[in-house]
Amino acid sequence: MNRRSLLAGVGGLFAAGGVASVLAPAAAADPATRPDRDGRVEALLGKMTLEEKLGQLQLVGTEDLARTSLATGQLGGVFSVVGAAKLNALQKIAVEQTRLRIPLIFGLDVIHGYTTNFPIPLAQGASFDPGVAAADATVAAKEARRSGIHWTYAPMMDVTHEPRWGRIAEGYGEDPYLASKMAVAKVRGYQGDDYSSPDRLAACAKHFVAYGGAEGGRDYNTVDVSLQRLHNLYLPPFKASVEAGVATVMASFNTISGVPAHGNGYVLHDVLKGAYGFRGFVVSDYTGIEELILHGLAGDGADAAAAALPAGVDMEMVSTNYVRYGKQLLAERRITRDQIDDAVRRILLVKFKLGLFERPYVDESGEVKAPSPAALPASRQAAGRCMVLLKNDGPVLPLAKSVRSVAVVGPLGAATYDLNGTWAGLGTGAWTTPPVTVVDGIKAAAPGATVTFTAGCAVEGADTSGFAAAQQAARAADVTVVVVGETAAMSGEAAARSNIDLPGVQQQLVAAIKDTGKPFVVVLVNGRPLTIPYLHDNAPAILEAWAPGVQGGHAIADVLFGVVNPSGKLPVSFPRAVGQIPIYYNHENTGRPADPANKYTSKYLDLESGPLYEFGHGLSYTTFRVDGLRLSATRMPARGGRIEVSARVTNTGARAGDEVVQLYLRDPVASIVQPVRRLRGFQRVTLAAGASKTVSFTLTPEDVGFYDNAAKFRVEPGKIEVYVGTSSAATLTASFTVT
Ligand code: NOJ
């Protein structure tokens, strides 16, 4: 019995073949999952020995290992090695000293910049502007490809309800629609129309799939998920990325309802390659195939390879079970020649599409070793669009440019590389240009002012001995900017936190500044939502700057002084307390929705219901009104229907600004309980003071349908409520009927 049928026997729905029939006709049969036949690939494949084929499936992460594997001709690609000369030297061995001269593919985690770091992806989600993701990807692709990299392990598109999970920083937050739009923009930004271009990269949609569902927010942890949630919540960004032509996909470290992703034929084979028709290749995550042993799906390395290859993992990162056991497994009929050929075809096709056979080397004189003059302003502009003004009472912001003195206080006020956040500094020149600090940004923005810096405390630890100096600085200044939050290492991979308060004594530092009675604002630098009810109650203004990238200090100053009017919106709910997690706007209703007047409703005895700041929340230095909601029809046929929703947005304040108009839907009665709201449209508009604009959204059956627990997409007749406004708490509403 081969591995796939074995899994079908024991794994039920999540093993290969389990629910294939309900997905789409394409999912059922093996041939449908084959990559497109390409003459060049077929010709090459026909010449390859079994050893050479297995070699193409191997990806290693160091130069030494690459040389060792090349000596036996068994290597398909290398990752995490940077430097044009080093990469060319490895490539030379592959194209001059191996029998078939097949070039290597070079990968790297170019997550939010190669040399020029843009804001972290979570911040980019807050821009509600796919143009920001596209700008990041375009700049990064150019820098990386010119430095010899072909392939990036991005975009990460794991939707999550878990702010404790450090990798929330790498994705676009809690909403599948927003994540899909951002991910697609990023894929297109990396790949362009043709990723053989010297300015483009092959992208990698990761991590497939449901990695964001890690229990307790602990990285790599178990995920047990219903089919409807898998398809409605976690899969949509991947489906959209496949439709956008993403070249590769990376499997995730987690289990999915008992079957680790690396051995999960249902998600990889049936859904990704079958139903979605993905024709690129699937790479394992770092030792992900080997880890099937510790997961308990495989008894040894041979078993692990026998689970992963038929499930649909084409290339093995770091561990070496395919090259080691491939031949034996074939002889034992635990894998098939077709499965090996299928994987090799997919990898070769991407190499051909990258143009590596024609141009295996990079021009070393074009290597990018420092951010270019054009890239820095792009990063600064992007960061400005990502910042979220959480609160502004008074209002105390923006600061006047004529301010005479500013005290910058807080451990992140003079931070450099922490402003880049996680997954930064991997490119060749990434350490040549430290990010602009907040102090320096403020000095540049207010050249006439006296600007001081006093840390007050460290990000972590209990030492409050610097508080007195910080208070003294605050007393001496017109205004204090308190910069607190997390270091770069506190979010990202393997950086889960059980407590997401401001670390260390930073909250006490804010309290000490408040005690001076002088005006102050708080700037947050962090890679996840934090629990900040104290700040909400005590700080006059809070600006969420996330990890804003290499121009961070300038971008923060742009917003503090009103050169940029803040317009970011939260891509994720901010909880009041860690005990509320998971808390997300697109939740299902219970039979007893929270009601403060009724004990027997769904709530905590010791905490107000709802988030501190809701999904989609974000203020501006001006104000907006949304009204005039109109629907083009009251009925939408379930087949081929279409409704235009329009509303007028007016800038009711005194300065120009951007608003993100958001459209949410609710299906109040359905065969599967539906979220109380779900985002199905957003538009960023720029309006001068007093100006109005009508925004419109087109809804089709795809927007009102959902996947059921047999993974079948359903569009059901009945009422659909529409909400339009400036956050997920929008109240302007209308409805139509699906017929
Ligand atoms: C492990 C991470 O999970 C993945 O996101 C990354 O691309 C690989 N390591 C390669 O560095």
Side-chain angles (χ1 to χ4, degrees), residues 582-665:
I583 180 165
Y584 46 97
Y585 87 95
N586 46 356
H587 61 87
E588 294 167 7
N589 231 354
T590 67
R592 297 181 174 197
D595 173 359
N598 182 349
K599 174 166 188 207
Y600 294 95
T601 59
S602 186
K603 59 186 184 335
Y604 296 100
L605 287 178
D606 53 357
L607 197 70
E608 197 179 322
S609 294
L612 181 66
Y613 299 115
E614 78 274 10
F615 177 89
H617 167 76
L619 305 171
S620 164
Y621 296 150
T622 184
T623 47
F624 295 93
R625 184 182 63 231
V626 180
D627 59 10
L629 178 59
R630 262 191 208 152
L631 307 188
S632 62
T634 54
R635 290 174 176 271
M636 176 195 273
R639 274 171 197 272
R642 197 184 159 93
I643 285 188
E644 304 292 327
V645 177
S646 61
R648 188 178 51 214
V649 52
T650 306
N651 181 341
T652 51
R655 57 165 77 212
D658 281 15
E659 180 56 284
V660 178
V661 182
Q662 303 161 41
L663 175 143
Y664 296 86
L665 297 184

Side-chain angles (χ1 to χ4, degrees), residues 79-80 109 111 153 156 167 170 206-207 211 220 250 253 285-286 317 423 493:
F79 75 106
S80 287
D109 290 282
I111 307 296
Y153 301 134
M156 194 276 223
R167 303 200 82 169
E170 296 178 53
K206 74 183 189 186
H207 304 83
Y211 189 24
Y220 318 121
M250 186 185 291
F253 283 130
D285 202 345
Y286 203 106
M317 186 191 286
W423 280 126
E493 187 175 349

